[in-house]
Amino acid sequence: MRITVLNTGGTFNKRYNPIKGLLEVPFDSIALDKIVKSCHNVEFDIKNIVSKDSLEFTQEDRETILKEIQNSTSDKIIIIHGTDTVDLTAKFIEDKIDGKKIVFTGAMVPMSIDEVEATMNFSQAIGFLNAPIQNGIYLSMHGVVVEHSKLLKDRSVGQFLVKN
């Protein structure tokens, strides 16, 4: 199986910059590369695009993501995205894409601090794309993968919950 991965940054990728004393979104995919080297039955086409915290996303950033999806020859796509505005990006592309299975994922804690959440969310997305699913836009977070509008970030508890 071949999966295209669009890495847009977000907390998933953040690393501490000791010179600035800040967590920053890098322009590389070191966090993601660490996970995919353990996936022996999947080929990945990883593209680093945007590379910023999703709170800083602009309309142009969402257009860039949309164009990458539209230009991809793969019908299976994982998008690493910041959790604060993943809902806005998913909503933006939902009526502009046909014939693809897209799974957004990310993490509330940087992989550089704790590898578990990012690895679990990304691995869930891979497994989900391996299943016989319908084309659509999904979100993989905290133990579930569902249609993107059914999973919401609850800031009061710091996790994603399935919408009733």
Side-chain angles (χ1 to χ4, degrees):
M1 178 173 64
R2 184 165 194 78
I3 297 175
T4 294
V5 180
L6 302 179
N7 188 10
T8 71
T11 298
F12 183 105
N13 291 284
K14 283 184 177 179
R15 287 195 307 264
Y16 182 70
N17 179 331
I19 295 169
K20 294 182 180 178
L22 300 170
L23 282 172
E24 295 179 330
V25 177
F27 292 99
D28 59 39
S29 60
I30 289 174
L32 187 56
D33 293 342
K34 194 170 187 177
I35 297 171
V36 301
K37 74 179 181 182
S38 296
C39 299
H40 304 292
N41 295 313
V42 181
E43 290 182 38
F44 295 96
D45 178 21
I46 298 172
K47 296 182 178 186
N48 295 315
I49 59 173
V50 185
S51 296
K52 58 172 86 167
D53 188 296
S54 71
L55 288 172
E56 298 172 3
F57 271 31
T58 64
Q59 184 64 20
E60 292 79 23
D61 296 327
R62 289 187 176 85
E63 294 280 349
T64 297
I65 294 167
L66 175 62
K67 286 177 189 163
E68 287 288 341
I69 295 167
Q70 291 171 330
N71 292 334
S72 176
T73 57
S74 177
D75 68 336
K76 295 177 178 164
I77 299 172
I78 296 174
I79 302 173
I80 307 297
H81 195 291
T83 62
D84 286 310
T85 66
V86 67
D87 59 327
L88 301 177
T89 303
K91 182 76 174 155
F92 173 75
I93 69 168
E94 78 178 339
D95 60 350
K96 298 172 181 75
I97 301 294
D98 286 318
K100 296 187 187 278
K101 298 165 182 76
I102 300 166
V103 180
F104 283 87
T105 194
M108 305 281 283
V109 177
M111 189 168 162
S112 64
I113 294 174
D114 185 348
E115 297 179 9
V116 173
E117 180 193 11
T119 302
M120 182 181 80
N121 292 341
F122 187 79
S123 299
Q124 266 179 181
I126 295 167
F128 187 76
L129 288 175
N130 268 317
I133 60 167
Q134 293 183 356
N135 292 335
I137 300 169
Y138 303 90
L139 183 57
S140 170
M141 290 294 292
H142 301 142
V144 298
V145 184
V146 295
E147 192 274 325
H148 74 91
S149 67
K150 294 181 179 167
L151 201 59
L152 300 173
K153 184 174 181 178
D154 184 337
R155 285 172 173 76
S156 69
V157 294
Q159 64 186 136
F160 279 78
L161 303 172
V162 177
K163 181 177 166 181
N164 293 330

